[in-house]
Amino acid sequence: MTTLNVHFVNRGYGTDDGYKKVDAVNFRVCEFSARPQATIASPYNEWDTLTIQFEGDEWICDLD
């Protein structure tokens, strides 16, 4: 399994939860933005997954 260093933010509330190392479940390309995306295991709830997107030079998870 691939481990990624992901920046967790909530742009709606303007909060920053910092960086967390998480396991990637799969990778793909967004059909609208053509940016790399991935599904990750949530660091907040072990049964959930979250979608992240590569922006600039880092993986971002917008919790908004």
Side-chain angles (χ1 to χ4, degrees):
M1 195 168 284
T2 302
T3 301
L4 301 172
N5 194 34
V6 179
H7 191 182
F8 289 84
V9 298
N10 186 319
R11 292 176 177 152
Y13 287 103
T15 58
D16 187 330
D17 202 23
Y19 291 85
K20 298 180 186 314
K21 291 189 182 216
V22 296
D23 291 327
V25 175
N26 65 43
F27 293 91
R28 63 190 172 282
V29 174
C30 177
E31 64 183 287
F32 302 108
S33 68
R35 291 183 181 164
Q37 287 184 330
T39 301
I40 58 166
S42 172
Y44 304 103
N45 182 343
E46 66 180 289
W47 305 109
D48 286 341
T49 59
L50 298 167
T51 299
I52 61 174
Q53 187 161 307
F54 198 78
E55 297 179 16
D57 61 351
E58 65 183 358
W59 288 101
I60 299 282
C61 183
D62 189 349
L63 299 168
D64 187 14

